Amino acid sequence: MPNLAAETASLEEQLQGWGEVILMTDKVLRWERAWFPLALMSVVSFSFLMIYYLDPSVLSGVSCFVMFLCLADYLVPALAPRIFGSNKWTTEQQQRFHEICSNLVKSRRRIVGWWKRLFTLKEEKPKMYFMTMLFTLAVVAWIGQQVHNLFLTYLIVSFLLLFPGLNQHGIITKYIGMAKREINKLLKHKEKKNE
C-alpha cells in the first residue's frame, strides 16, 4: 500500500486542472462568508425542486447526471484558468490544495478501513455480523418506507454539504458535547436510583 504522501501527490496531479474550482468549493463548504450556507442550500433546494417538478425516470435522471459530470470533466480544466486566472496561484493556495487532497486520501483510507473491518467481523463473528447487518438494514428499510425517496435524498445531500461548515464552526462539537452531558446526567440519575 503506497504511503500517504505518495497517494496525496498522485491525487494532486490528477486534480490539478480542477485546483481553482476545488479551492472555491472548499471555501463555500467551510462557510468562509456568512451567506455561503444560504447560497448552498438555495442551490440544493432549487435543484431538488426541479427534479421533483420534472419527475424524470431513474434512467433519465442518471443519464442527465452522468452527462453533467462528463461536461464538467471536459469544460472545467479548460475554462477554470480563464475564469480564475492561473497566474494568481499562490503558495497559500497550493498548501490548501495539498491539505484538501490529503484529507480526501485520509477519508478514502478510513472508508476502506471500515469496509475491511466489516469483512473481518464477518469472518471472525458471523452471527454478530449477521445480526448487525440485519438490524441496520431493517432500520434503513423502515426509514425508506416512511420518508419519500427524493426528500430523504435531499436531507442526506443537504447534511453532507453542510457538514464541513458545521464542523469548521464548531457547531457539531457543541451539540455532541451537549448530548454527552445529557447522557451522563441520565446515567448518574439512574445510578442514584439503583443505590
Side-chain angles (χ1 to χ4, degrees), residues 15 30 32-33 40 47 59 66 77 91 94 96 99 102 108 114 116 125 147 152 170 172 191:
L15 296 177
R30 289 186 303 119
E32 285 195 3
R33 300 220 174 128
L40 190 63
S47 300
L59 189 59
V66 172
T91 308
Q94 182 61 40
R96 183 64 196 147
E99 288 173 17
S102 178
R108 191 188 76 208
W114 279 100
K116 286 180 180 177
K125 299 179 181 178
V147 183
L152 190 59
I172 291 176
E191 286 176 7

Side-chain angles (χ1 to χ4, degrees), residues 53-124:
Y53 176 73
L54 296 173
D55 194 25
S57 66
V58 172
L59 189 59
S60 297
V62 170
S63 295
C64 288
F65 182 71
V66 172
M67 185 171 49
F68 174 76
L69 289 178
C70 287
L71 278 170
D73 188 43
Y74 178 74
L75 294 175
V76 167
L79 297 177
R82 292 184 182 142
I83 294 171
F84 295 104
S86 59
N87 57 346
K88 297 177 185 173
W89 194 257
T90 64
T91 308
E92 183 181 309
Q93 288 173 318
Q94 182 61 40
Q95 184 178 2
R96 183 64 196 147
F97 182 66
H98 178 75
E99 288 173 17
I100 293 167
C101 289
S102 178
N103 288 338
L104 288 172
V105 168
K106 289 175 188 173
S107 296
R108 191 188 76 208
R109 283 183 166 195
R110 261 188 234 114
I111 292 168
V112 169
W114 279 100
W115 189 255
K116 286 180 180 177
R117 280 189 209 110
L118 186 65
F119 282 101
T120 303
L121 180 67
K122 181 181 178 183
E123 291 173 7
E124 293 176 358

Side-chain angles (χ1 to χ4, degrees), residues 155-178:
L155 292 176
I156 292 168
V157 168
S158 297
F159 177 75
L160 290 176
L161 290 176
L162 291 175
F163 184 78
L166 292 168
N167 195 29
Q168 177 78 18
H169 292 276
I171 297 168
I172 291 176
T173 308
K174 175 184 170 185
Y175 285 105
I176 287 176
M178 287 172 57

Side-chain angles (χ1 to χ4, degrees), residues 22-33 36:
I22 290 172
L23 288 175
M24 182 57 73
T25 304
D26 178 60
K27 288 179 182 181
V28 171
L29 292 178
R30 289 186 303 119
W31 307 354
E32 285 195 3
R33 300 220 174 128
F36 281 167

Side-chain angles (χ1 to χ4, degrees), residues 34 48 137:
F48 275 88
L137 293 172

